[in-house]
Amino acid sequence: MDAAQPLTTSSDRPQTRPLPQLSGGRAAAVFVGIGLVMTLVLLAGGRRWWCAFGDLSPWTLDAWGPHNSQHLIDAYVFSHLLHGVILYFVFHVGGLRRFPAWQLFGVLLLEAAWEVFENSPFVIERYRTTTNASAYTGDSVLNSITDYAACLIGWLLSRQLGWKWAVAIFFAAETGCLLWIRDNLTLNVLMIFHPVEAIQRWQSGAGA
């Protein structure tokens, strides 16, 4: 050994910080924490806990009537599930595939922010004027919580099944909703930002 060469020990080696782990307890705490903040903001904004008509059914199949988004589950729960699928691709392609804990935080934070924005007077009025949902008054708080959870499920399914199944889920949900209620996530986004009169007339057949 060259006498001039310094000896190295394990303490001299560069230390790397371990990646955040996605444990069940930590994931649950993040889900509950962000969901609680979202709930408090929605309540502060005047949102009701439940359907204004007092209907105790946990779901509604009327996508265009006044009960839509007032119960735990409605047709648009599939759109929120697809939010999770889309965010899976965004974070996966964006280089966060090795950081599941940060992905989880980002997915839940973005979905919670959307729920708050979706229930703002501006967005509610856009829905009422650019689609056939003239009776829409915003989501109940419990409906928003279900949508928030659906986004998480979409992300978890995508992570578990891989990108091919995630693509299949996306197209199956979009096609199914299009045939069922003449609406889906793609049309929803289109009609908010660039309303098409022909689509609105076609959708009116579903709400008649």
Side-chain angles (χ1 to χ4, degrees), residues 82 85 89 161-175:
L82 294 185
V85 174
F89 283 106
L161 299 176
W163 72 268
K164 292 181 180 179
W165 276 104
V167 170
I169 290 171
F170 182 89
F171 283 104
E174 286 289 83
T175 302

Side-chain angles (χ1 to χ4, degrees), residues 40-100:
L40 293 175
V41 173
L42 289 171
L43 289 173
R47 306 313 307 163
R48 299 176 61 95
W49 275 107
W50 192 248
C51 176
F53 300 96
D55 187 341
L56 298 180
S57 173
W59 59 78
T60 178
L61 300 179
D62 183 4
W64 301 103
H67 286 277
N68 183 56
S69 296
Q70 298 297 299
H71 301 254
L72 282 176
I73 299 173
D74 55 46
Y76 290 98
V77 72
F78 294 104
S79 292
H80 291 272
L81 184 141
L82 294 185
H83 289 177
V85 174
I86 293 171
L87 290 173
Y88 160 77
F89 283 106
V90 169
F91 289 123
H92 194 73
V93 174
L96 288 178
R97 68 183 69 181
R98 296 177 60 240
F99 300 90

Side-chain angles (χ1 to χ4, degrees), residues 6 10 33 38-39 46 52 57 61 64 74-75 77 87 104-105 122 134 138 141 156 160 165 168 175 187-188 190-191:
S10 60
M38 178 192 75
T39 298
S57 173
L61 300 179
W64 301 103
D74 55 46
V77 72
L87 290 173
L104 173 71
F105 181 80
F122 169 75
S134 58
V141 173
L156 290 173
Q160 183 67 30
W165 276 104
T175 302
L187 286 183
N188 211 263
L190 173 65
M191 294 299 285

Side-chain angles (χ1 to χ4, degrees), residues 131-147:
T131 73
N132 195 47
S134 58
Y136 180 67
T137 58
D139 300 355
S140 70
V141 173
L142 289 177
N143 180 264
S144 289
I145 292 173
T146 299
D147 291 342

